[in-house]
Amino acid sequence: QQAVFAEVDGLVQSALDGYKVCIFAYGQTGSGKTHTMQGSNDPDSWGLIPRSLRKILRESESMRRDGWAWTLRASFLEVYNEQLRDLLYGEAGDPPKLTIMH
C-alpha cells in the first residue's frame, strides 16, 4: 500500500496546492480496487483514501498555524454494476441513494 501511495502522492500535493484531482481505479471484479483504495484498519495497510486524508489533514493543520483558512470537500465513490456507493458513508442504516445521470 505504501508503494502505491508513493505513486499518487504528487496528486495529493496538487490537491493541497489548489488543483482539482481525481484518482480513478478501473479493473475486473476481485482485482483489488477497493482494497487499494480503502485498505484495512491497520495503519500499515491503509489504502489510498486514508493515506491521502492523513496527509491532507496534517498539512491543513500546518497551514492553519501559518494563518491559512480553507475548506476541504472530498468524495470517494465506487461504481459497481452501474450502481454508485459512497465509500465514506459510515452511519448505521442504508446509505443515501446515488444516481448516475447520462
Side-chain angles (χ1 to χ4, degrees), residues 49-86:
I49 294 171
R51 288 173 189 268
S52 297
L53 288 174
R54 176 176 56 189
K55 178 175 179 157
I56 290 167
L57 295 173
R58 283 181 178 169
E59 289 294 322
S60 72
E61 285 302 313
S62 174
M63 293 168 75
R64 185 172 288 119
R65 286 191 295 272
D66 292 338
W68 286 76
W70 52 282
T71 302
L72 167 68
R73 280 189 294 217
S75 299
F76 297 96
L77 303 172
E78 176 181 62
V79 180
Y80 182 72
N81 286 339
E82 297 193 31
Q83 299 292 315
L84 286 176
R85 186 173 77 122
D86 183 347

PDB file of all heavy atoms in Angstrom, residues 49-86:
ATOM      1  N   ILE A  49      -7.228   6.143   0.200  1.00  0.00           N
ATOM      2  CA  ILE A  49      -8.136   7.102   0.834  1.00  0.00           C
ATOM      3  C   ILE A  49      -7.626   7.531   2.211  1.00  0.00           C
ATOM      4  O   ILE A  49      -7.415   8.726   2.448  1.00  0.00           O
ATOM      5  CB  ILE A  49      -9.578   6.563   0.900  1.00  0.00           C
ATOM      6  CG1 ILE A  49     -10.151   6.427  -0.508  1.00  0.00           C
ATOM      7  CG2 ILE A  49     -10.463   7.457   1.769  1.00  0.00           C
ATOM      8  CD1 ILE A  49     -11.486   5.689  -0.573  1.00  0.00           C
ATOM      9  N   PRO A  50      -7.410   6.602   3.150  1.00  0.00           N
ATOM     10  CA  PRO A  50      -6.953   7.068   4.468  1.00  0.00           C
ATOM     11  C   PRO A  50      -5.563   7.703   4.439  1.00  0.00           C
ATOM     12  O   PRO A  50      -5.301   8.661   5.169  1.00  0.00           O
ATOM     13  CB  PRO A  50      -6.991   5.813   5.346  1.00  0.00           C
ATOM     14  CG  PRO A  50      -7.128   4.670   4.429  1.00  0.00           C
ATOM     15  CD  PRO A  50      -7.707   5.163   3.156  1.00  0.00           C
ATOM     16  N   ARG A  51      -4.677   7.218   3.580  1.00  0.00           N
ATOM     17  CA  ARG A  51      -3.343   7.820   3.498  1.00  0.00           C
ATOM     18  C   ARG A  51      -3.424   9.240   2.951  1.00  0.00           C
ATOM     19  O   ARG A  51      -2.744  10.151   3.433  1.00  0.00           O
ATOM     20  CB  ARG A  51      -2.415   6.970   2.636  1.00  0.00           C
ATOM     21  CG  ARG A  51      -1.999   5.671   3.294  1.00  0.00           C
ATOM     22  CD  ARG A  51      -1.207   4.797   2.321  1.00  0.00           C
ATOM     23  NE  ARG A  51      -0.995   3.472   2.861  1.00  0.00           N
ATOM     24  CZ  ARG A  51       0.071   3.111   3.575  1.00  0.00           C
ATOM     25  NH1 ARG A  51       1.024   3.995   3.814  1.00  0.00           N
ATOM     26  NH2 ARG A  51       0.186   1.886   4.034  1.00  0.00           N
ATOM     27  N   SER A  52      -4.258   9.435   1.936  1.00  0.00           N
ATOM     28  CA  SER A  52      -4.422  10.770   1.353  1.00  0.00           C
ATOM     29  C   SER A  52      -5.031  11.725   2.366  1.00  0.00           C
ATOM     30  O   SER A  52      -4.567  12.866   2.526  1.00  0.00           O
ATOM     31  CB  SER A  52      -5.303  10.706   0.104  1.00  0.00           C
ATOM     32  OG  SER A  52      -4.685   9.926  -0.891  1.00  0.00           O
ATOM     33  N   LEU A  53      -6.077  11.273   3.056  1.00  0.00           N
ATOM     34  CA  LEU A  53      -6.715  12.124   4.056  1.00  0.00           C
ATOM     35  C   LEU A  53      -5.761  12.459   5.195  1.00  0.00           C
ATOM     36  O   LEU A  53      -5.745  13.590   5.687  1.00  0.00           O
ATOM     37  CB  LEU A  53      -7.985  11.473   4.589  1.00  0.00           C
ATOM     38  CG  LEU A  53      -9.157  11.451   3.620  1.00  0.00           C
ATOM     39  CD1 LEU A  53     -10.309  10.657   4.193  1.00  0.00           C
ATOM     40  CD2 LEU A  53      -9.595  12.866   3.275  1.00  0.00           C
ATOM     41  N   ARG A  54      -4.957  11.494   5.604  1.00  0.00           N
ATOM     42  CA  ARG A  54      -3.977  11.760   6.668  1.00  0.00           C
ATOM     43  C   ARG A  54      -3.019  12.870   6.230  1.00  0.00           C
ATOM     44  O   ARG A  54      -2.757  13.810   6.982  1.00  0.00           O
ATOM     45  CB  ARG A  54      -3.202  10.488   7.024  1.00  0.00           C
ATOM     46  CG  ARG A  54      -2.107  10.734   8.051  1.00  0.00           C
ATOM     47  CD  ARG A  54      -1.392   9.485   8.478  1.00  0.00           C
ATOM     48  NE  ARG A  54      -0.830   8.775   7.340  1.00  0.00           N
ATOM     49  CZ  ARG A  54      -0.301   7.560   7.417  1.00  0.00           C
ATOM     50  NH1 ARG A  54      -0.286   6.910   8.563  1.00  0.00           N
ATOM     51  NH2 ARG A  54       0.195   6.985   6.354  1.00  0.00           N
ATOM     52  N   LYS A  55      -2.511  12.771   4.997  1.00  0.00           N
ATOM     53  CA  LYS A  55      -1.596  13.806   4.511  1.00  0.00           C
ATOM     54  C   LYS A  55      -2.298  15.156   4.424  1.00  0.00           C
ATOM     55  O   LYS A  55      -1.752  16.179   4.851  1.00  0.00           O
ATOM     56  CB  LYS A  55      -1.033  13.425   3.148  1.00  0.00           C
ATOM     57  CG  LYS A  55      -0.121  14.498   2.579  1.00  0.00           C
ATOM     58  CD  LYS A  55       0.544  14.099   1.303  1.00  0.00           C
ATOM     59  CE  LYS A  55       1.411  15.271   0.821  1.00  0.00           C
ATOM     60  NZ  LYS A  55       2.470  14.855  -0.056  1.00  0.00           N
ATOM     61  N   ILE A  56      -3.497  15.179   3.882  1.00  0.00           N
ATOM     62  CA  ILE A  56      -4.234  16.432   3.719  1.00  0.00           C
ATOM     63  C   ILE A  56      -4.511  17.071   5.076  1.00  0.00           C
ATOM     64  O   ILE A  56      -4.317  18.274   5.269  1.00  0.00           O
ATOM     65  CB  ILE A  56      -5.532  16.196   2.925  1.00  0.00           C
ATOM     66  CG1 ILE A  56      -5.192  15.886   1.464  1.00  0.00           C
ATOM     67  CG2 ILE A  56      -6.470  17.387   3.030  1.00  0.00           C
ATOM     68  CD1 ILE A  56      -6.346  15.331   0.660  1.00  0.00           C
ATOM     69  N   LEU A  57      -4.969  16.284   6.038  1.00  0.00           N
ATOM     70  CA  LEU A  57      -5.304  16.835   7.353  1.00  0.00           C
ATOM     71  C   LEU A  57      -4.060  17.306   8.106  1.00  0.00           C
ATOM     72  O   LEU A  57      -4.098  18.337   8.782  1.00  0.00           O
ATOM     73  CB  LEU A  57      -6.107  15.823   8.160  1.00  0.00           C
ATOM     74  CG  LEU A  57      -7.484  15.509   7.566  1.00  0.00           C
ATOM     75  CD1 LEU A  57      -8.156  14.380   8.331  1.00  0.00           C
ATOM     76  CD2 LEU A  57      -8.364  16.742   7.517  1.00  0.00           C
ATOM     77  N   ARG A  58      -2.959  16.584   7.978  1.00  0.00           N
ATOM     78  CA  ARG A  58      -1.711  17.034   8.613  1.00  0.00           C
ATOM     79  C   ARG A  58      -1.240  18.346   8.010  1.00  0.00           C
ATOM     80  O   ARG A  58      -0.832  19.269   8.725  1.00  0.00           O
ATOM     81  CB  ARG A  58      -0.630  15.966   8.470  1.00  0.00           C
ATOM     82  CG  ARG A  58      -0.784  14.814   9.422  1.00  0.00           C
ATOM     83  CD  ARG A  58       0.328  13.820   9.251  1.00  0.00           C
ATOM     84  NE  ARG A  58       0.192  12.731  10.208  1.00  0.00           N
ATOM     85  CZ  ARG A  58       0.901  11.608  10.159  1.00  0.00           C
ATOM     86  NH1 ARG A  58       1.786  11.431   9.196  1.00  0.00           N
ATOM     87  NH2 ARG A  58       0.714  10.677  11.069  1.00  0.00           N
ATOM     88  N   GLU A  59      -1.272  18.418   6.678  1.00  0.00           N
ATOM     89  CA  GLU A  59      -0.844  19.645   6.006  1.00  0.00           C
ATOM     90  C   GLU A  59      -1.776  20.810   6.338  1.00  0.00           C
ATOM     91  O   GLU A  59      -1.324  21.945   6.490  1.00  0.00           O
ATOM     92  CB  GLU A  59      -0.779  19.438   4.496  1.00  0.00           C
ATOM     93  CG  GLU A  59       0.360  18.549   4.051  1.00  0.00           C
ATOM     94  CD  GLU A  59       1.723  19.161   4.305  1.00  0.00           C
ATOM     95  OE1 GLU A  59       1.878  20.388   4.132  1.00  0.00           O
ATOM     96  OE2 GLU A  59       2.634  18.411   4.684  1.00  0.00           O
ATOM     97  N   SER A  60      -3.070  20.522   6.459  1.00  0.00           N
ATOM     98  CA  SER A  60      -4.021  21.592   6.763  1.00  0.00           C
ATOM     99  C   SER A  60      -3.752  22.175   8.152  1.00  0.00           C
ATOM    100  O   SER A  60      -3.863  23.390   8.354  1.00  0.00           O
ATOM    101  CB  SER A  60      -5.465  21.101   6.666  1.00  0.00           C
ATOM    102  OG  SER A  60      -5.794  20.240   7.736  1.00  0.00           O
ATOM    103  N   GLU A  61      -3.386  21.331   9.098  1.00  0.00           N
ATOM    104  CA  GLU A  61      -3.050  21.833  10.438  1.00  0.00           C
ATOM    105  C   GLU A  61      -1.807  22.712  10.385  1.00  0.00           C
ATOM    106  O   GLU A  61      -1.760  23.766  11.020  1.00  0.00           O
ATOM    107  CB  GLU A  61      -2.849  20.677  11.419  1.00  0.00           C
ATOM    108  CG  GLU A  61      -4.139  20.027  11.851  1.00  0.00           C
ATOM    109  CD  GLU A  61      -5.097  21.013  12.497  1.00  0.00           C
ATOM    110  OE1 GLU A  61      -4.677  21.799  13.369  1.00  0.00           O
ATOM    111  OE2 GLU A  61      -6.277  21.013  12.102  1.00  0.00           O
ATOM    112  N   SER A  62      -0.834  22.299   9.622  1.00  0.00           N
ATOM    113  CA  SER A  62       0.381  23.100   9.473  1.00  0.00           C
ATOM    114  C   SER A  62       0.064  24.437   8.814  1.00  0.00           C
ATOM    115  O   SER A  62       0.545  25.487   9.246  1.00  0.00           O
ATOM    116  CB  SER A  62       1.397  22.324   8.636  1.00  0.00           C
ATOM    117  OG  SER A  62       2.519  23.116   8.356  1.00  0.00           O
ATOM    118  N   MET A  63      -0.769  24.403   7.779  1.00  0.00           N
ATOM    119  CA  MET A  63      -1.148  25.632   7.074  1.00  0.00           C
ATOM    120  C   MET A  63      -1.982  26.543   7.975  1.00  0.00           C
ATOM    121  O   MET A  63      -1.838  27.759   7.935  1.00  0.00           O
ATOM    122  CB  MET A  63      -1.910  25.283   5.798  1.00  0.00           C
ATOM    123  CG  MET A  63      -1.040  24.586   4.753  1.00  0.00           C
ATOM    124  SD  MET A  63      -1.986  23.880   3.399  1.00  0.00           S
ATOM    125  CE  MET A  63      -2.401  25.359   2.495  1.00  0.00           C
ATOM    126  N   ARG A  64      -2.843  25.957   8.796  1.00  0.00           N
ATOM    127  CA  ARG A  64      -3.675  26.746   9.708  1.00  0.00           C
ATOM    128  C   ARG A  64      -2.792  27.499  10.703  1.00  0.00           C
ATOM    129  O   ARG A  64      -3.037  28.661  11.009  1.00  0.00           O
ATOM    130  CB  ARG A  64      -4.665  25.830  10.434  1.00  0.00           C
ATOM    131  CG  ARG A  64      -5.663  26.591  11.309  1.00  0.00           C
ATOM    132  CD  ARG A  64      -6.758  25.705  11.864  1.00  0.00           C
ATOM    133  NE  ARG A  64      -7.663  25.346  10.778  1.00  0.00           N
ATOM    134  CZ  ARG A  64      -7.900  24.100  10.367  1.00  0.00           C
ATOM    135  NH1 ARG A  64      -7.331  23.092  10.973  1.00  0.00           N
ATOM    136  NH2 ARG A  64      -8.729  23.854   9.379  1.00  0.00           N
ATOM    137  N   ARG A  65      -1.752  26.839  11.191  1.00  0.00           N
ATOM    138  CA  ARG A  65      -0.823  27.507  12.114  1.00  0.00           C
ATOM    139  C   ARG A  65      -0.116  28.685  11.442  1.00  0.00           C
ATOM    140  O   ARG A  65       0.287  29.634  12.111  1.00  0.00           O
ATOM    141  CB  ARG A  65       0.195  26.506  12.664  1.00  0.00           C
ATOM    142  CG  ARG A  65      -0.374  25.560  13.706  1.00  0.00           C
ATOM    143  CD  ARG A  65       0.710  24.765  14.405  1.00  0.00           C
ATOM    144  NE  ARG A  65       1.427  23.863  13.513  1.00  0.00           N
ATOM    145  CZ  ARG A  65       1.055  22.620  13.231  1.00  0.00           C
ATOM    146  NH1 ARG A  65      -0.028  22.120  13.787  1.00  0.00           N
ATOM    147  NH2 ARG A  65       1.776  21.872  12.421  1.00  0.00           N
ATOM    148  N   ASP A  66       0.009  28.610  10.104  1.00  0.00           N
ATOM    149  CA  ASP A  66       0.639  29.698   9.348  1.00  0.00           C
ATOM    150  C   ASP A  66      -0.368  30.751   8.906  1.00  0.00           C
ATOM    151  O   ASP A  66      -0.040  31.635   8.115  1.00  0.00           O
ATOM    152  CB  ASP A  66       1.357  29.135   8.115  1.00  0.00           C
ATOM    153  CG  ASP A  66       2.569  28.301   8.486  1.00  0.00           C
ATOM    154  OD1 ASP A  66       3.112  28.481   9.595  1.00  0.00           O
ATOM    155  OD2 ASP A  66       2.982  27.466   7.652  1.00  0.00           O
ATOM    156  N   GLY A  67      -1.618  30.638   9.384  1.00  0.00           N
ATOM    157  CA  GLY A  67      -2.616  31.652   9.090  1.00  0.00           C
ATOM    158  C   GLY A  67      -3.540  31.350   7.924  1.00  0.00           C
ATOM    159  O   GLY A  67      -4.384  32.170   7.581  1.00  0.00           O
ATOM    160  N   TRP A  68      -3.397  30.199   7.292  1.00  0.00           N
ATOM    161  CA  TRP A  68      -4.267  29.837   6.174  1.00  0.00           C
ATOM    162  C   TRP A  68      -5.629  29.382   6.685  1.00  0.00           C
ATOM    163  O   TRP A  68      -5.743  28.775   7.740  1.00  0.00           O
ATOM    164  CB  TRP A  68      -3.656  28.694   5.372  1.00  0.00           C
ATOM    165  CG  TRP A  68      -2.504  29.086   4.516  1.00  0.00           C
ATOM    166  CD1 TRP A  68      -1.230  29.333   4.940  1.00  0.00           C
ATOM    167  CD2 TRP A  68      -2.516  29.269   3.111  1.00  0.00           C
ATOM    168  NE1 TRP A  68      -0.442  29.655   3.876  1.00  0.00           N
ATOM    169  CE2 TRP A  68      -1.208  29.625   2.736  1.00  0.00           C
ATOM    170  CE3 TRP A  68      -3.490  29.171   2.143  1.00  0.00           C
ATOM    171  CZ2 TRP A  68      -0.863  29.876   1.429  1.00  0.00           C
ATOM    172  CZ3 TRP A  68      -3.145  29.418   0.834  1.00  0.00           C
ATOM    173  CH2 TRP A  68      -1.843  29.778   0.484  1.00  0.00           C
ATOM    174  N   ALA A  69      -6.656  29.656   5.920  1.00  0.00           N
ATOM    175  CA  ALA A  69      -8.003  29.132   6.184  1.00  0.00           C
ATOM    176  C   ALA A  69      -8.530  28.597   4.861  1.00  0.00           C
ATOM    177  O   ALA A  69      -8.471  29.285   3.847  1.00  0.00           O
ATOM    178  CB  ALA A  69      -8.913  30.221   6.716  1.00  0.00           C
ATOM    179  N   TRP A  70      -9.004  27.375   4.853  1.00  0.00           N
ATOM    180  CA  TRP A  70      -9.518  26.796   3.631  1.00  0.00           C
ATOM    181  C   TRP A  70     -10.542  25.725   3.937  1.00  0.00           C
ATOM    182  O   TRP A  70     -10.688  25.299   5.079  1.00  0.00           O
ATOM    183  CB  TRP A  70      -8.390  26.270   2.731  1.00  0.00           C
ATOM    184  CG  TRP A  70      -7.417  25.348   3.384  1.00  0.00           C
ATOM    185  CD1 TRP A  70      -6.391  25.677   4.214  1.00  0.00           C
ATOM    186  CD2 TRP A  70      -7.364  23.935   3.260  1.00  0.00           C
ATOM    187  NE1 TRP A  70      -5.706  24.568   4.607  1.00  0.00           N
ATOM    188  CE2 TRP A  70      -6.284  23.475   4.038  1.00  0.00           C
ATOM    189  CE3 TRP A  70      -8.112  22.998   2.577  1.00  0.00           C
ATOM    190  CZ2 TRP A  70      -5.934  22.140   4.136  1.00  0.00           C
ATOM    191  CZ3 TRP A  70      -7.763  21.670   2.678  1.00  0.00           C
ATOM    192  CH2 TRP A  70      -6.691  21.254   3.445  1.00  0.00           C
ATOM    193  N   THR A  71     -11.251  25.298   2.906  1.00  0.00           N
ATOM    194  CA  THR A  71     -12.310  24.301   3.043  1.00  0.00           C
ATOM    195  C   THR A  71     -11.939  23.054   2.247  1.00  0.00           C
ATOM    196  O   THR A  71     -11.432  23.159   1.134  1.00  0.00           O
ATOM    197  CB  THR A  71     -13.637  24.865   2.505  1.00  0.00           C
ATOM    198  OG1 THR A  71     -13.951  26.047   3.230  1.00  0.00           O
ATOM    199  CG2 THR A  71     -14.761  23.871   2.657  1.00  0.00           C
ATOM    200  N   LEU A  72     -12.205  21.915   2.816  1.00  0.00           N
ATOM    201  CA  LEU A  72     -11.945  20.639   2.159  1.00  0.00           C
ATOM    202  C   LEU A  72     -13.269  19.991   1.783  1.00  0.00           C
ATOM    203  O   LEU A  72     -14.178  19.898   2.611  1.00  0.00           O
ATOM    204  CB  LEU A  72     -11.176  19.705   3.097  1.00  0.00           C
ATOM    205  CG  LEU A  72     -11.086  18.239   2.692  1.00  0.00           C
ATOM    206  CD1 LEU A  72     -10.224  18.075   1.455  1.00  0.00           C
ATOM    207  CD2 LEU A  72     -10.551  17.411   3.836  1.00  0.00           C
ATOM    208  N   ARG A  73     -13.389  19.590   0.533  1.00  0.00           N
ATOM    209  CA  ARG A  73     -14.524  18.789   0.075  1.00  0.00           C
ATOM    210  C   ARG A  73     -13.957  17.588  -0.649  1.00  0.00           C
ATOM    211  O   ARG A  73     -13.104  17.737  -1.540  1.00  0.00           O
ATOM    212  CB  ARG A  73     -15.421  19.576  -0.869  1.00  0.00           C
ATOM    213  CG  ARG A  73     -16.359  20.504  -0.159  1.00  0.00           C
ATOM    214  CD  ARG A  73     -17.351  21.069  -1.120  1.00  0.00           C
ATOM    215  NE  ARG A  73     -16.634  21.922  -2.066  1.00  0.00           N
ATOM    216  CZ  ARG A  73     -17.101  23.043  -2.561  1.00  0.00           C
ATOM    217  NH1 ARG A  73     -18.297  23.445  -2.247  1.00  0.00           N
ATOM    218  NH2 ARG A  73     -16.391  23.763  -3.395  1.00  0.00           N
ATOM    219  N   ALA A  74     -14.421  16.407  -0.284  1.00  0.00           N
ATOM    220  CA  ALA A  74     -13.914  15.188  -0.914  1.00  0.00           C
ATOM    221  C   ALA A  74     -15.057  14.212  -1.132  1.00  0.00           C
ATOM    222  O   ALA A  74     -16.003  14.159  -0.344  1.00  0.00           O
ATOM    223  CB  ALA A  74     -12.847  14.546  -0.037  1.00  0.00           C
ATOM    224  N   SER A  75     -14.955  13.467  -2.194  1.00  0.00           N
ATOM    225  CA  SER A  75     -15.910  12.407  -2.493  1.00  0.00           C
ATOM    226  C   SER A  75     -15.122  11.153  -2.828  1.00  0.00           C
ATOM    227  O   SER A  75     -14.127  11.218  -3.558  1.00  0.00           O
ATOM    228  CB  SER A  75     -16.788  12.769  -3.696  1.00  0.00           C
ATOM    229  OG  SER A  75     -17.523  13.921  -3.462  1.00  0.00           O
ATOM    230  N   PHE A  76     -15.557  10.039  -2.292  1.00  0.00           N
ATOM    231  CA  PHE A  76     -14.960   8.750  -2.610  1.00  0.00           C
ATOM    232  C   PHE A  76     -16.107   7.823  -2.974  1.00  0.00           C
ATOM    233  O   PHE A  76     -16.897   7.435  -2.115  1.00  0.00           O
ATOM    234  CB  PHE A  76     -14.163   8.207  -1.422  1.00  0.00           C
ATOM    235  CG  PHE A  76     -13.000   9.072  -1.051  1.00  0.00           C
ATOM    236  CD1 PHE A  76     -13.116  10.012  -0.051  1.00  0.00           C
ATOM    237  CD2 PHE A  76     -11.793   8.952  -1.723  1.00  0.00           C
ATOM    238  CE1 PHE A  76     -12.041  10.820   0.297  1.00  0.00           C
ATOM    239  CE2 PHE A  76     -10.714   9.758  -1.386  1.00  0.00           C
ATOM    240  CZ  PHE A  76     -10.837  10.688  -0.376  1.00  0.00           C
ATOM    241  N   LEU A  77     -16.218   7.513  -4.250  1.00  0.00           N
ATOM    242  CA  LEU A  77     -17.342   6.734  -4.758  1.00  0.00           C
ATOM    243  C   LEU A  77     -16.858   5.475  -5.438  1.00  0.00           C
ATOM    244  O   LEU A  77     -15.766   5.433  -6.008  1.00  0.00           O
ATOM    245  CB  LEU A  77     -18.151   7.555  -5.767  1.00  0.00           C
ATOM    246  CG  LEU A  77     -18.716   8.882  -5.281  1.00  0.00           C
ATOM    247  CD1 LEU A  77     -19.320   9.637  -6.447  1.00  0.00           C
ATOM    248  CD2 LEU A  77     -19.732   8.661  -4.192  1.00  0.00           C
ATOM    249  N   GLU A  78     -17.700   4.451  -5.394  1.00  0.00           N
ATOM    250  CA  GLU A  78     -17.458   3.212  -6.120  1.00  0.00           C
ATOM    251  C   GLU A  78     -18.605   3.016  -7.097  1.00  0.00           C
ATOM    252  O   GLU A  78     -19.766   3.192  -6.736  1.00  0.00           O
ATOM    253  CB  GLU A  78     -17.404   2.046  -5.137  1.00  0.00           C
ATOM    254  CG  GLU A  78     -17.245   0.694  -5.798  1.00  0.00           C
ATOM    255  CD  GLU A  78     -17.210  -0.430  -4.786  1.00  0.00           C
ATOM    256  OE1 GLU A  78     -18.205  -0.628  -4.071  1.00  0.00           O
ATOM    257  OE2 GLU A  78     -16.163  -1.100  -4.699  1.00  0.00           O
ATOM    258  N   VAL A  79     -18.296   2.659  -8.333  1.00  0.00           N
ATOM    259  CA  VAL A  79     -19.306   2.317  -9.331  1.00  0.00           C
ATOM    260  C   VAL A  79     -19.196   0.816  -9.550  1.00  0.00           C
ATOM    261  O   VAL A  79     -18.132   0.304  -9.916  1.00  0.00           O
ATOM    262  CB  VAL A  79     -19.075   3.056 -10.671  1.00  0.00           C
ATOM    263  CG1 VAL A  79     -20.148   2.676 -11.670  1.00  0.00           C
ATOM    264  CG2 VAL A  79     -19.032   4.552 -10.463  1.00  0.00           C
ATOM    265  N   TYR A  80     -20.282   0.096  -9.306  1.00  0.00           N
ATOM    266  CA  TYR A  80     -20.305  -1.353  -9.493  1.00  0.00           C
ATOM    267  C   TYR A  80     -21.661  -1.730 -10.068  1.00  0.00           C
ATOM    268  O   TYR A  80     -22.692  -1.409  -9.479  1.00  0.00           O
ATOM    269  CB  TYR A  80     -20.052  -2.078  -8.168  1.00  0.00           C
ATOM    270  CG  TYR A  80     -20.013  -3.574  -8.315  1.00  0.00           C
ATOM    271  CD1 TYR A  80     -18.929  -4.186  -8.941  1.00  0.00           C
ATOM    272  CD2 TYR A  80     -21.054  -4.360  -7.868  1.00  0.00           C
ATOM    273  CE1 TYR A  80     -18.883  -5.550  -9.086  1.00  0.00           C
ATOM    274  CE2 TYR A  80     -21.018  -5.730  -8.014  1.00  0.00           C
ATOM    275  CZ  TYR A  80     -19.932  -6.329  -8.630  1.00  0.00           C
ATOM    276  OH  TYR A  80     -19.894  -7.686  -8.783  1.00  0.00           O
ATOM    277  N   ASN A  81     -21.663  -2.391 -11.213  1.00  0.00           N
ATOM    278  CA  ASN A  81     -22.913  -2.762 -11.890  1.00  0.00           C
ATOM    279  C   ASN A  81     -23.833  -1.551 -12.058  1.00  0.00           C
ATOM    280  O   ASN A  81     -25.023  -1.617 -11.804  1.00  0.00           O
ATOM    281  CB  ASN A  81     -23.649  -3.878 -11.149  1.00  0.00           C
ATOM    282  CG  ASN A  81     -22.986  -5.215 -11.341  1.00  0.00           C
ATOM    283  OD1 ASN A  81     -22.241  -5.416 -12.295  1.00  0.00           O
ATOM    284  ND2 ASN A  81     -23.244  -6.134 -10.431  1.00  0.00           N
ATOM    285  N   GLU A  82     -23.249  -0.450 -12.466  1.00  0.00           N
ATOM    286  CA  GLU A  82     -23.967   0.804 -12.687  1.00  0.00           C
ATOM    287  C   GLU A  82     -24.677   1.331 -11.438  1.00  0.00           C
ATOM    288  O   GLU A  82     -25.640   2.083 -11.522  1.00  0.00           O
ATOM    289  CB  GLU A  82     -24.934   0.674 -13.861  1.00  0.00           C
ATOM    290  CG  GLU A  82     -24.206   0.405 -15.178  1.00  0.00           C
ATOM    291  CD  GLU A  82     -25.081   0.575 -16.382  1.00  0.00           C
ATOM    292  OE1 GLU A  82     -26.001   1.405 -16.343  1.00  0.00           O
ATOM    293  OE2 GLU A  82     -24.822  -0.115 -17.369  1.00  0.00           O
ATOM    294  N   GLN A  83     -24.188   0.947 -10.277  1.00  0.00           N
ATOM    295  CA  GLN A  83     -24.682   1.452  -9.002  1.00  0.00           C
ATOM    296  C   GLN A  83     -23.548   2.215  -8.321  1.00  0.00           C
ATOM    297  O   GLN A  83     -22.402   1.776  -8.331  1.00  0.00           O
ATOM    298  CB  GLN A  83     -25.131   0.305  -8.081  1.00  0.00           C
ATOM    299  CG  GLN A  83     -26.261  -0.529  -8.631  1.00  0.00           C
ATOM    300  CD  GLN A  83     -27.552   0.258  -8.708  1.00  0.00           C
ATOM    301  OE1 GLN A  83     -27.917   0.955  -7.778  1.00  0.00           O
ATOM    302  NE2 GLN A  83     -28.233   0.155  -9.839  1.00  0.00           N
ATOM    303  N   LEU A  84     -23.884   3.373  -7.748  1.00  0.00           N
ATOM    304  CA  LEU A  84     -22.897   4.165  -7.015  1.00  0.00           C
ATOM    305  C   LEU A  84     -22.944   3.832  -5.530  1.00  0.00           C
ATOM    306  O   LEU A  84     -24.020   3.642  -4.961  1.00  0.00           O
ATOM    307  CB  LEU A  84     -23.180   5.660  -7.180  1.00  0.00           C
ATOM    308  CG  LEU A  84     -22.852   6.287  -8.515  1.00  0.00           C
ATOM    309  CD1 LEU A  84     -23.292   7.749  -8.520  1.00  0.00           C
ATOM    310  CD2 LEU A  84     -21.388   6.182  -8.824  1.00  0.00           C
ATOM    311  N   ARG A  85     -21.775   3.781  -4.912  1.00  0.00           N
ATOM    312  CA  ARG A  85     -21.685   3.550  -3.475  1.00  0.00           C
ATOM    313  C   ARG A  85     -20.730   4.580  -2.896  1.00  0.00           C
ATOM    314  O   ARG A  85     -19.627   4.770  -3.401  1.00  0.00           O
ATOM    315  CB  ARG A  85     -21.166   2.141  -3.201  1.00  0.00           C
ATOM    316  CG  ARG A  85     -21.180   1.776  -1.743  1.00  0.00           C
ATOM    317  CD  ARG A  85     -20.833   0.323  -1.537  1.00  0.00           C
ATOM    318  NE  ARG A  85     -19.413   0.121  -1.679  1.00  0.00           N
ATOM    319  CZ  ARG A  85     -18.633  -0.403  -0.732  1.00  0.00           C
ATOM    320  NH1 ARG A  85     -19.152  -0.804   0.399  1.00  0.00           N
ATOM    321  NH2 ARG A  85     -17.344  -0.537  -0.932  1.00  0.00           N
ATOM    322  N   ASP A  86     -21.163   5.265  -1.847  1.00  0.00           N
ATOM    323  CA  ASP A  86     -20.357   6.265  -1.159  1.00  0.00           C
ATOM    324  C   ASP A  86     -19.418   5.539  -0.195  1.00  0.00           C
ATOM    325  O   ASP A  86     -19.853   4.953   0.794  1.00  0.00           O
ATOM    326  CB  ASP A  86     -21.277   7.232  -0.404  1.00  0.00           C
ATOM    327  CG  ASP A  86     -20.526   8.351   0.285  1.00  0.00           C
ATOM    328  OD1 ASP A  86     -19.287   8.276   0.406  1.00  0.00           O
ATOM    329  OD2 ASP A  86     -21.195   9.306   0.700  1.00  0.00           O
TER     330      ASP A  86
END
